[in-house]
Amino acid sequence: MKRSLLTKSLAIGLAATVAATLAPRPTQAEAAEGDRSAFTLAVLPDTQFYSRYADSNFLPEYGTTPFHEQTAWIAENADELNIPFAVHVGDVVDVVGQESGWRAADESMQNLDDAGVPYAILAGNHDVRNASNSVVDTDYDLANEPFLDTFPVDRAEAHDTFGGADPTGLNRFSIFEAEGQQYLVLSLNWRVSDATLAWASDVLDAHSELPTIIASHDIISIQNDGVTGETSPNGERLWDALINDNDQVFLTLNGHYHGSAKVERQNAAGNTVTQILTDHQMAYEGGNGYMNLLEFDITNGEINVNTLSPWVVSKPEDKLTSYDTPVLTGANEQYSIPVDFESRFAGFTTVEPAQSDLSARAIEILTEGFNGAPESALAAAGNEHDYVQAEGTLAHWQLTGDAGEVAEGQLFDDLAGDSDLYREAIDASGSATAQPGNVTIVDSAQTYSPSQQAVCFNDSSRERFSYLTTAPDAAVNNADLSGGYTIETFLMLDDEWAADVNGWSKALTRSGNRSLIEGMPWSQWDYTASPAALGISNLREFQWTEIGEDATRGDKTNWSGEILTGTWSHVALVNDAETETTVMYVNGAPVLRTAQDTFGMSFNEGMPWILGSDWVDDGATNGWHGCIGETRIVDRPLEAAEWLTARPDVSAFSAEAAVDGDTVLLSGEGLPNAEIRIDDPSVAEQAEAVMAVQADARATVGDDGSWSAQLSAAQLAEGANAEGAVTLTLAQAFGERASEAVSVVVQVADAETPGDSDEPGDSDEPGDSDGPGESDPTAPTSDDAEADGDLPETGMSAGLPALIVAVAVLLAGFGLMRLRRVDS
């Protein structure tokens, strides 16, 4: 049943009912001698994804949601942190018509209701039926607005801070008291009418003695640098109508624009108005539970802004990632705003001072017992071969070559087969403005990319583009991905990327026309686009769009958080046919918006894969403005341990030794393209002669996983010890990333017998031991050794009088190094 909608008209005399006679406030100098006078205001930015994915993602995975943990933490710590009030700045839900989202929001805010923590909540653009800029609150069908069903005026009235509402019920004001001072909070709808502005002006006039905070969803925005704030058009309207001429307004709060920003403007009275934007929705897990605590330090004359997450510290340790930091300290995330409260608001009064530093105490409470995520196991690649070979790889392009311009027709080999890429000729590309220098190879890549080169597409736009393409007959064009897939690539946006020029461009496209695929339903968006593409939105979000194997299910999409320019990202798209989901991972972290009810991928036969542009209406368009690195397509879902960012286990190699005449043969198994080094200098006591022989003995493991090397037994013998043995050291390596050295003892000469000399009459005839013509009847024969089981126990070969090979155990998992003798 809907809650009844109750509204209150403004009564000018209401001020008298909330006014209080307050004791004189001591000066800052006087207060500084004692305890600090301070309180904390809690601010909840856009919670839309927490509400939307509560049932599908958060509750099944964690048993709770970020939204719930935020409000529960505020309720639990309100007394200790002196939190008299909380403000939600809108976009409470993501899909206005989704009942489960409103239910999740209702349950989360109930934590504050139950604890008696008063709050203000307002509607953002996602919370109203019609978010058009031209539609204002008085245009709404109020009986059909879910926001008023879940957060009606009578729910707000339950808190004694409630002051009143406008006739729509969407705009309200509250008055809370902290440290002996009353504050007015004016909460305004996403888009307000002139009538609402008049109502709000009357509220300000009626409470002109109260310092005022205006909260609305859209007041200031953020520039493309992700740091600099600026007033939005709607914010300018509010500035002109309510803020500039009302000196009591000293602070505004809003969300909507992705990131954190601050603007300080001078009002008509020459005083500063601080405007704060906070919106983390495009970050990991839809914002990862970050919210603001604003500590009003009356004593020291400042507002301390902190950004922290009760959600992060609530997660089980095995689910933590490198993104899970309890407290953010970046630009506009942790800072102080000087406010001379005495001069700014001469009417301030105070009673008893609060306890100690509330900001420090809040962080202490939050992080107590939090150990953080386990250290990352990721390691930089030793060279371009240092990656896990994935079974089912259909195409793998490393995009390497001489740095500089990529010529038209220049090839990039497919490491997996015969699906090479080449730069499409400008005349055939469809761009009349593309230039040869628009595509270049650079010596730059993401840290964990095996290939440390990439191809950059410069000066790209919707009309100016170039691209790399597979040939019309490339095998990967018609790849069957019905069993699932993994697509990996490394991407970077150019620092000069601009939304109006480069928004909605694509980096990787399986070209074609989805409208021609059987069963494809008509859609308003991208009906003639390619079957699948990875690109960037106008809000700098990675977007993956695909038509699954069953085209009748329509387009499925994944969206990342906001992507910074000039920064490399590893993107992995993993489609699991069994769970019928596609998950996008950015730098190892899954994005929140998982594509569901999809498996495999539809395609148009004979159409190429292209890198560097979109493909719509049967032609290329909208070039990628940035760089693309190593890219791989696999015909099954891969775990992270098989991604290009994972490193193969270099200790996984085996070896055996054999003697053939004057040659010591080494061979074994290892990782394809790895180097087997036999010159590791870790055995410092080796003779120079041995080192010289080993220096030329490096083997590369072939594609079949085998390797071999040859050493000169005679040269090795020159460095033998008194027992006739030398120690070889072996390691498997990809560049500088190598396994631990393993010692191999090789018997290359007879042991020296005490008393032996080159005196005349001595004989070195085979069989001689104690004297000319004598033999040792007790010496074991080869047959005796085999009968006694010595060979299996010792791992040694016997029977060659001059060349006997003995080895040590190489590596766990491969058992003993095998020895074999080649008789000559």
Side-chain angles (χ1 to χ4, degrees), residues 445-611:
Q446 199 251 19
T447 301
Y448 302 113
S449 171
S451 170
Q452 286 296 294
Q453 288 191 302
V455 168
C456 293
F457 300 85
N458 311 307
D459 300 322
S460 299
S461 66
R462 189 169 298 278
E463 295 77 25
R464 185 187 182 99
F465 52 84
S466 297
Y467 56 90
L468 310 181
T469 180
T470 56
D473 59 351
V476 73
N477 295 350
N478 296 329
D480 179 4
L481 301 179
S482 58
Y485 59 80
T486 300
I487 299 174
E488 294 180 81
T489 190
F490 295 87
L491 302 176
M492 182 173 68
L493 295 174
D494 191 272
D495 280 329
E496 300 302 318
W497 188 95
D500 56 341
V501 178
N502 309 116
W504 304 109
S505 59
K506 299 295 189 290
L508 171 68
T509 304
R510 190 172 195 179
S511 68
N513 187 325
R514 60 177 61 178
S515 70
L516 303 178
I517 298 173
E518 184 177 356
M520 175 66 192
W522 183 88
S523 62
Q524 180 180 359
W525 308 110
D526 299 331
Y527 183 54
T528 60
S530 297
L534 171 64
I536 193 80
S537 76
N538 62 329
L539 298 177
R540 293 209 314 270
E541 309 148 316
F542 286 138
Q543 182 211 40
W544 171 246
T545 172
E546 67 174 11
I547 303 301
E549 186 75 12
D550 182 359
T552 64
R553 301 185 185 185
D555 177 55
K556 304 297 179 180
T557 57
N558 297 82
W559 300 84
S560 78
E562 186 173 0
I563 303 302
L564 298 179
T565 61
T567 302
W568 279 103
S569 298
H570 170 254
V571 182
L573 302 157
V574 181
N575 175 268
D576 190 325
E578 292 188 6
T579 61
E580 297 193 353
T581 59
T582 301
V583 181
M584 176 193 289
Y585 297 84
V586 178
N587 293 329
V591 304
L592 190 57
R593 298 178 72 168
T594 296
Q596 302 186 13
D597 193 31
T598 179
F599 68 94
M601 185 190 299
S602 292
F603 63 96
N604 301 109
E605 290 189 6
M607 292 301 295
W609 291 74
I610 61 177
L611 274 64

Side-chain angles (χ1 to χ4, degrees), residues 217-391:
H217 191 56
D218 174 8
I219 302 177
I220 67 169
S221 62
I222 191 167
Q223 296 181 12
N224 284 338
D225 62 6
V227 176
T228 306
E230 60 185 3
T231 306
S232 71
N234 186 68
E236 197 66 40
R237 181 169 180 250
L238 296 180
W239 178 268
D240 292 339
L242 298 176
I243 302 171
N244 188 39
D245 292 329
N246 288 286
D247 189 35
Q248 69 196 86
V249 179
F250 72 101
L251 178 67
T252 72
L253 303 170
N254 73 278
H256 187 57
Y257 299 96
H258 307 155
S260 298
K262 174 173 65 72
V263 169
E264 292 186 329
R265 295 185 69 174
Q266 304 302 308
N267 64 16
N271 287 320
T272 299
V273 179
T274 300
Q275 301 184 283
I276 295 175
L277 156 68
T278 304
D279 176 9
H280 297 280
Q281 65 173 288
M282 301 314 296
Y284 176 55
E285 290 201 316
N288 214 19
Y290 291 111
M291 64 184 194
N292 285 150
L293 291 184
L294 276 60
E295 180 197 19
F296 285 64
D297 184 348
I298 310 301
T299 300
N300 294 305
E302 58 188 7
I303 299 175
N304 299 309
V305 180
N306 289 284
T307 305
L308 44 77
S309 173
W311 168 247
V312 166
V313 299
S314 76
K315 297 181 187 179
E317 188 170 320
D318 62 355
K319 294 186 181 297
L320 294 174
T321 72
S322 60
Y323 295 89
D324 290 311
T325 301
V327 181
L328 298 181
T329 58
N332 299 323
E333 292 171 343
Q334 188 178 66
Y335 57 94
S336 294
I337 305 165
V339 180
D340 187 339
F341 292 102
E342 289 188 28
S343 62
R344 184 70 170 86
F345 302 109
F348 268 38
T349 53
T350 188
V351 282
E352 296 181 5
Q355 54 273 59
S356 59
D357 188 334
L358 297 181
S359 290
R361 182 56 183 146
I363 293 173
E364 182 181 6
I365 292 171
L366 184 79
T367 58
E368 184 176 0
F370 180 76
N371 298 317
E375 291 187 10
S376 172
L378 292 178
N383 60 24
E384 70 274 18
H385 304 298
D386 194 6
Y387 60 87
V388 177
Q389 300 279 336
E391 182 181 353

Side-chain angles (χ1 to χ4, degrees), residues 13-145:
L14 185 62
T17 66
V18 295
T21 301
L22 303 169
R25 175 179 177 269
T27 65
Q28 292 184 13
E30 292 171 339
E33 296 178 0
D35 292 329
R36 296 166 65 252
S37 175
F39 70 91
T40 306
L41 180 70
V43 181
L44 294 166
D46 306 48
T47 55
Q48 59 198 78
F49 291 153
Y50 310 149
S51 301
R52 176 174 179 175
Y53 298 106
D55 289 351
S56 62
N57 290 53
F58 291 116
L59 289 172
E61 181 76 10
Y62 297 100
T64 184
T65 74
F67 197 173
H68 184 277
E69 293 302 314
Q70 288 175 322
T71 54
W73 191 86
I74 293 170
E76 182 179 355
N77 296 286
D79 290 340
E80 182 165 0
L81 297 179
N82 198 14
I83 302 175
F85 202 75
V87 179
H88 195 306
V89 296
D91 273 4
V92 183
V93 302
D94 190 48
V95 181
V96 67
Q98 183 190 62
E99 183 180 348
S100 62
W102 287 108
R103 183 176 63 251
D106 180 10
E107 293 171 355
S108 295
M109 294 303 291
Q110 190 65 42
N111 287 330
L112 300 182
D113 291 324
D114 293 344
V117 178
Y119 61 87
I121 191 167
L122 56 93
N125 56 302
H126 283 262
D127 302 322
V128 295
R129 293 284 188 185
N130 190 336
S132 170
N133 288 328
S134 62
V135 177
V136 295
D137 47 20
T138 52
D139 297 327
Y140 300 164
D141 177 3
L142 297 175
N144 194 34
E145 288 295 337

Side-chain angles (χ1 to χ4, degrees), residues 148-223:
L148 292 172
D149 292 339
T150 305
F151 300 104
V153 173
D154 62 352
R155 183 170 182 174
E157 281 184 309
H159 296 285
D160 58 12
T161 56
F162 179 72
D166 80 323
T168 71
L170 292 167
N171 304 281
R172 306 165 186 179
F173 74 95
S174 301
I175 297 174
F176 71 88
E177 182 180 317
E179 293 298 282
Q181 172 64 48
Q182 291 180 331
Y183 293 82
L184 171 69
V185 177
L186 187 58
S187 301
L188 302 177
N189 181 61
W190 155 250
R191 291 291 182 261
V192 294
S193 62
D194 290 342
T196 298
L197 290 176
W199 169 86
S201 182
D202 287 343
V203 171
L204 292 173
D205 289 344
H207 303 87
S208 58
E209 80 286 0
L210 297 184
T212 298
I213 301 167
I214 292 183
S216 192
H217 191 56
D218 174 8
I219 302 177
I220 67 169
S221 62
I222 191 167
Q223 296 181 12

